[in-house]
């Protein structure tokens, strides 16, 4: 399948089922405390790093975008499906949503504080994942974060029907270690990972990875210096305790 075919089938499938998809998953986060915990931790990391613009790539009808906005992030959504973008704008009129592809983001280099790809890389052919993660690295500023959520597994699942609509979608499942390797190869070493067992209707375990674009050497040296100062103080305190014992 060529890239044009892949993009066309994904766009057309989500356009066809957009309304029913939105109705099915609109309130899903309310029943997912572990996912909300991941989002909360991720949002705190981004805020503590100075904040800035965040792109929710593959935002669909905008439920994750809106949730992250509620956690204090300056976030906007990007989706391949015009119908999904239309729904997101209607459901969340105070937020920005744009059409776009994660393979070629219309975003300047080094300008984002974070990128979120919550179950949106699952439609990317395996051989194109390095291109996607390289694109994430390109748009992130130094110290910026990436959050990737996906199903765990080895075998893809193809669908020709969903919510009563004819579609052509392949849900690709990944092993967390493999995704961590690809992120690291793109210059985004993983800082945290979660894996949980399937719940309710889920067919597989679910995973999320948080990666970070490294800071410039000067910032790293500053951090190392602060660590060294802290270690020296700890050693001094230990020596004082030993002398007094």
């Amino acid at each position: 399948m060529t890239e044009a075919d892949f993009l066309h089938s994904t766009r057309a499938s989500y356009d066809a089922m957009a309304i029913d998809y939105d109705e099915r998953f609109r309130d899903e986060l309310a029943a997912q405390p572990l996912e909300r915990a991941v989002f909360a931790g991720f949002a705190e990391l981004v805020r503590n790093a100075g904040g800035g613009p965040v792109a929710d790539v593959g935002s669909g009808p905008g439920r994750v975008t809106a949730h992250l906005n509620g956690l204090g992030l300056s976030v906007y959504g990007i989706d391949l499906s015009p119908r999904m973008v239309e729904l997101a704008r209607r459901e969340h009129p105070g937020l920005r949503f744009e059409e776009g592809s994660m393979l070629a983001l219309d975003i300047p280099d080094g300008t984002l504080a974070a990128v979120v790809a919550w179950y949106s890389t699952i439609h990317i052919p395996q051989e194109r994942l390095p291109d996607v993660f390289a694109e994430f690295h390109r748009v992130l500023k130094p110290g910026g974060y990436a959050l990737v959520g996906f199903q765990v597994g080895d075998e893809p699942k193809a669908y020709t029907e969903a919510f009563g609509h004819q579609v052509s979608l392949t849900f690709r499942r990944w092993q967390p270690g493999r995704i961590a390797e690809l992120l690291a190869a793109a210059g985004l070493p993983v800082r945290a990972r979660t894996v949980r067992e399937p719940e309710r209707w889920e067919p597989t375990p679910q995973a999320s990875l948080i990666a970070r674009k490294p800071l410039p050497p000067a910032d790293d040296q500053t951090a190392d210096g602060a660590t060294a100062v802290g270690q020296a103080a700890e050693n001094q305190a230990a020596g004082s305790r030993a002398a007094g014992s």
Side-chain angles (χ1 to χ4, degrees):
M1 178 179 291
T2 67
E3 179 173 313
D5 289 338
F6 152 71
L7 293 174
H8 174 77
S9 63
T10 303
R11 181 185 296 111
S13 295
Y14 277 100
D15 277 350
M17 65 178 179
I19 294 176
D20 296 291
Y21 179 98
D22 180 35
E23 290 179 353
R24 169 63 181 83
F25 294 108
R26 183 178 301 170
D27 301 317
E28 189 68 16
L29 274 176
Q32 295 179 316
L34 295 179
E35 273 74 359
R36 296 199 309 273
V38 169
F39 289 137
F42 175 75
E44 185 171 350
L45 288 172
V46 175
R47 294 195 308 268
N48 289 347
V54 177
D56 178 14
V57 182
S59 53
R63 64 187 179 94
V64 170
T65 317
H67 186 75
L68 293 172
N69 177 73
L71 293 173
L73 297 185
S74 178
V75 59
Y76 70 101
I78 301 171
D79 201 88
L80 187 64
S81 161
R83 187 66 177 125
M84 284 292 193
V85 172
E86 178 185 341
L87 281 174
R89 288 171 176 169
R90 186 183 71 192
E91 295 287 338
H92 311 286
L95 298 178
R96 177 162 62 100
F97 295 91
E98 302 175 353
E99 292 180 39
S101 167
M102 67 178 67
L103 286 164
L105 294 168
D106 186 18
I107 300 171
D109 295 357
T111 55
L112 293 184
V115 172
V116 177
W118 197 249
Y119 292 84
S120 53
T121 60
I122 62 175
H123 301 306
I124 300 294
Q126 182 172 349
E127 64 272 15
R128 299 308 308 272
L129 280 179
D131 299 322
V132 169
F133 296 152
E135 189 71 347
F136 290 178
H137 181 273
R138 179 186 69 79
V139 300
L140 285 171
K141 67 182 183 181
Y145 286 93
L147 171 61
V148 182
F150 53 95
Q151 297 177 344
V152 177
D154 298 301
E155 298 298 327
K157 175 69 173 177
Y159 290 88
T160 57
E161 185 275 337
F163 303 107
H165 301 277
Q166 183 177 353
V167 300
S168 178
L169 285 175
T170 298
F171 288 69
R172 294 172 172 85
R173 297 160 179 168
W174 318 107
Q175 292 298 330
R178 178 55 179 157
I179 297 302
E181 290 175 355
L182 292 175
L183 285 165
L188 297 170
V190 169
R191 305 294 298 273
R193 67 183 75 189
T194 63
V195 179
R196 66 167 177 79
E197 294 304 308
E199 298 178 357
R200 304 189 316 281
W201 51 268
E202 296 168 339
T204 67
Q206 312 290 303
S208 65
L209 302 180
I210 296 176
R212 193 181 194 193
K213 184 174 181 176
L215 290 163
D219 291 341
D220 286 341
Q221 291 172 6
T222 300
D224 290 343
T227 301
V229 170
Q231 185 63 57
E234 182 177 340
N235 292 341
Q236 183 177 0
S240 298
R241 290 194 296 271
S245 60

